[in-house]
Amino acid sequence: MLTHITFDADGLTLAGDLRVAGDGAPAVVLTGPFTGVKEQVTGLYAARLHERGITTLAFDHRGFGQSAGRRAHEDTQGKLADLRAATGVLAAHPAVDANRIGVVGICLGGGYAVRAAAADPRLRAVAGIAGAYNSPARFAAGDPDGYRQALVSFIERWDEELPAVAPGGAPAAMGGDEPFAYYGTERSAAEHWENRVTHGSLHSLMTFDALGAAPLLARTPLLVVHGRKDDYCSPELAEALFEQATGPKRLHWLDAGQHIDLYDAEPYVTQAVDETAEFLRSVLDGR
């Protein structure tokens, strides 16, 4: 059963959807794509994992959906604080065993999930699905001056907004036809999603180091599920994350042709959910 809840993070009220699978069932908090809301990708994965016996909490990060906070702005440290608060909600729930909580991230959420698990030992497992494992060092390596100039441009226009997606190659935070094919169509229809984001958000994306968290996971089990072809979240970075992780780990490749195939397309979502559910149960059930 789905229960709409609210909880506090840094004095902000966040909105979430809680699905309890039963007393003592493994539990996960979910975090998802850039600009996404809980009725889209995280909600789909939350529902599908719940069907497989896992308690799930999908929520709107600060500034997005039904949660409070500065609108349409990617706040890196704020989102990590949101995940800490959401983990606390699960840990305090009477049907949840606080020793059996993990985190699942899809797209940009994959990087946040890894960074959250690296800093919060309450998270006993982490799974990234089509994850964005951003690495400022790698972004800058090919063109250091260009990277620095991009940061300057984002800072100069920090408070200005641009569309999250746009058709026909028009300027957008997520440029190109593929993001528009999801967010610009009925595929992603959600009442509280907004097609806007700040330029400051792009600075956050370009400076967020998810890959660097891999060695900090210690013995936390890691699952990486990724499409072999992905033009938006690099398979090479997914492989680098896997290689640099220090604990028990699995890497599962899917033969998807597009990044957004893992948002809502079959058979890829079912394949990703099945692999993730089996991983979570094997780790959090102690099998």
Side-chain angles (χ1 to χ4, degrees):
M1 182 177 69
L2 185 153
T3 303
H4 300 295
I5 67 169
T6 59
F7 58 98
D8 179 88
D10 293 340
L12 299 172
T13 299
L14 308 184
D17 288 338
L18 177 67
R19 296 170 170 88
V20 177
D23 287 344
V28 293
V29 58
L30 294 100
T31 178
F34 182 42
T35 79
V37 296
K38 64 185 180 302
E39 292 81 17
Q40 295 171 331
V41 179
T42 54
L44 173 61
Y45 275 86
R48 298 289 292 276
L49 288 170
H50 178 254
E51 291 171 358
R52 288 156 176 79
I54 296 169
T55 291
T56 62
L57 174 56
F59 68 96
D60 291 331
H61 278 288
R62 63 184 65 195
F64 296 94
Q66 293 177 289
S67 289
R70 183 181 176 189
R71 304 314 301 168
H73 181 71
E74 185 76 13
D75 178 351
T76 300
Q77 292 304 312
K79 288 180 77 168
L80 292 171
D82 296 345
L83 285 167
R84 287 193 297 273
T87 300
V89 169
L90 287 179
H93 195 282
V96 173
D97 181 343
N99 294 312
R100 301 175 71 198
I101 299 173
V103 58
V104 175
I106 308 98
C107 185
L108 184 60
Y112 278 106
V114 171
R115 180 56 70 178
D120 191 340
R122 296 176 300 172
L123 295 168
R124 304 301 179 91
V126 53
I129 301 168
Y133 306 112
N134 293 8
S135 171
R138 294 199 180 204
F139 292 162
D143 182 7
D145 291 338
Y147 175 78
R148 299 285 290 179
Q149 186 54 49
L151 297 185
V152 169
S153 70
F154 299 147
I155 291 171
E156 289 176 342
R157 304 181 68 183
W158 190 270
D159 293 319
E160 296 179 30
E161 295 183 353
L162 74 165
V165 297
M174 295 180 283
D177 293 337
E178 186 178 330
F180 187 81
Y182 180 76
Y183 288 105
T185 69
E186 285 300 309
R187 287 174 67 173
S188 70
E191 180 182 356
H192 300 287
W193 182 79
E194 298 178 87
N195 188 19
R196 62 187 180 113
V197 72
T198 64
H199 280 267
S201 297
L202 302 181
H203 185 279
S204 294
L205 296 185
M206 292 290 285
T207 57
F208 178 54
D209 183 11
L211 183 61
L216 305 178
L217 288 171
R219 298 298 298 169
T220 305
L222 167 71
L223 170 68
V224 177
V225 178
H226 214 89
R228 295 185 186 276
K229 184 178 187 305
D230 190 324
D231 293 335
Y232 285 85
C233 291
S234 164
E236 290 74 22
L237 285 175
E239 192 165 20
L241 177 85
F242 176 77
E243 291 172 352
Q244 293 177 29
T246 53
K249 53 191 177 182
R250 302 185 195 179
L251 174 59
H252 186 76
W253 294 108
L254 298 179
D255 291 321
Q258 290 188 315
H259 175 69
I260 61 172
D261 283 345
L262 274 75
Y263 283 13
D264 64 349
E266 293 296 350
Y268 309 109
V269 170
T270 293
Q271 291 170 352
V273 169
D274 285 345
E275 184 70 18
T276 303
E278 195 281 326
F279 164 76
L280 291 170
R281 295 202 68 89
S282 67
V283 171
L284 299 177
D285 280 348
R287 290 192 281 114

